[in-house]
Amino acid sequence: MSKDYTTLNVSQITPEDSIAEYVYLPKIVHMDDSAVDCMLDFHKHQPLSFPSNTPLMEARQTMESQEQNVVLVLDESKHLVGVLSLEQALSRRVVSLIEGARVERKDVLLKSVMMPLADVVAVDMEQLKHAKVGHVVATLQSMHVYYIVVYEAQQNSNKKVIRGIFSTSLLNRYLGQRRITVDPAQTFTVAQMQSNLNKSS
């Protein structure tokens, strides 16, 4: 038996009514706000992803045009193998490594400069239910990373589902000022970059 639903109150729209403007500025959060408030939730926002052999310049241009701060890097089987942030792609360290490897920027691939999955910092979504933005900031700074991946543990399985991500660039926008600074640990060398380039050629 179906329920009886009452009708909604209806009105008319006139030419004098206005269309709501899209608010480009992000919401403002504070250090004592819930951590989940500033997480890029993959249930609400489809993550930007690229194959690992995508040129860095191509990925960077897409990130900038779509206003995305972080990309997921996938292998040929579409498994997650690394992460790269726009801040990382623009960092002096990456530029100096490219110059040190003496390669053209157009030839540098994501797999040469991404944060390998083994070095990506991850936290359980369950833990975030009681965490504040300040806890995330402290973790980013103490771990010397640009981002933290958030996962959900699957029941009756050892596997995890990637639920979202925190990034320093997005957090700085949400906090209303450039408050977070990190000194990322070196995760790759000139020799490793050259090795990756030789494998791709």
Side-chain angles (χ1 to χ4, degrees):
M1 184 177 178
S2 62
K3 295 181 179 178
D4 291 328
Y5 294 99
T6 59
T7 60
L8 299 173
N9 293 328
V10 299
S11 301
Q12 285 186 316
I13 300 297
T14 70
E16 288 74 28
D17 296 324
S18 60
I19 300 173
E21 294 183 6
Y22 176 76
V23 179
Y24 290 92
L25 293 175
K27 62 183 178 182
I28 298 297
V29 298
H30 303 89
M31 297 292 271
D32 287 330
D33 288 341
S34 171
V36 179
D37 290 344
C38 59
M39 178 185 80
L40 183 62
D41 190 341
F42 293 163
H43 278 182
K44 301 175 181 177
H45 305 276
Q46 183 175 3
L48 188 61
S49 62
F50 289 98
S52 61
N53 61 354
T54 302
L56 173 62
M57 289 180 63
E58 177 185 328
R60 174 181 159 183
Q61 289 171 355
T62 303
M63 293 169 73
E64 291 175 335
S65 64
Q66 296 190 17
E67 298 185 348
Q68 295 277 0
N69 298 289
V70 180
V71 295
L72 306 181
V73 185
L74 311 178
D75 64 12
E76 294 179 355
S77 301
K78 295 188 177 181
H79 293 144
L80 181 64
V81 293
V83 182
L84 180 77
S85 71
L86 184 58
E87 189 172 13
Q88 180 183 352
L90 298 172
S91 70
R92 292 180 181 176
R93 179 165 293 166
V94 168
V95 173
S96 64
L97 283 169
I98 292 173
E99 292 174 348
R102 297 185 179 181
V103 295
E104 296 290 334
R105 294 194 181 190
K106 63 181 179 61
D107 296 326
V108 178
L109 307 180
L110 290 185
K111 64 183 178 182
S112 301
V113 296
M114 70 181 186
M115 175 76 77
L117 197 58
D119 296 327
V120 172
V121 174
V123 297
D124 192 337
M125 182 71 179
E126 188 68 25
Q127 184 183 184
L128 294 177
K129 292 181 179 179
H130 309 290
K132 305 296 184 183
V133 173
H135 294 121
V136 175
V137 172
T139 305
L140 286 163
Q141 292 178 325
S142 66
M143 299 298 293
H144 302 287
V145 292
Y146 285 123
Y147 34 74
I148 298 173
V149 168
V150 180
Y151 68 87
E152 287 182 316
Q154 290 184 310
Q155 292 184 346
N156 305 319
S157 173
N158 292 327
K159 294 184 178 180
K160 302 177 180 68
V161 175
I162 307 302
R163 172 64 186 273
I165 198 165
F166 293 104
S167 72
T168 54
S169 53
L170 190 58
L171 275 166
N172 280 324
R173 288 170 57 190
Y174 281 171
L175 288 167
Q177 56 183 306
R178 189 159 186 80
R179 177 176 297 190
I180 308 170
T181 57
V182 296
D183 181 21
Q186 179 118 2
T187 57
F188 51 87
T189 64
V190 169
Q192 290 170 325
M193 181 180 290
Q194 289 174 325
S195 175
N196 285 333
L197 287 166
N198 291 335
K199 290 177 183 177
S200 63
S201 59

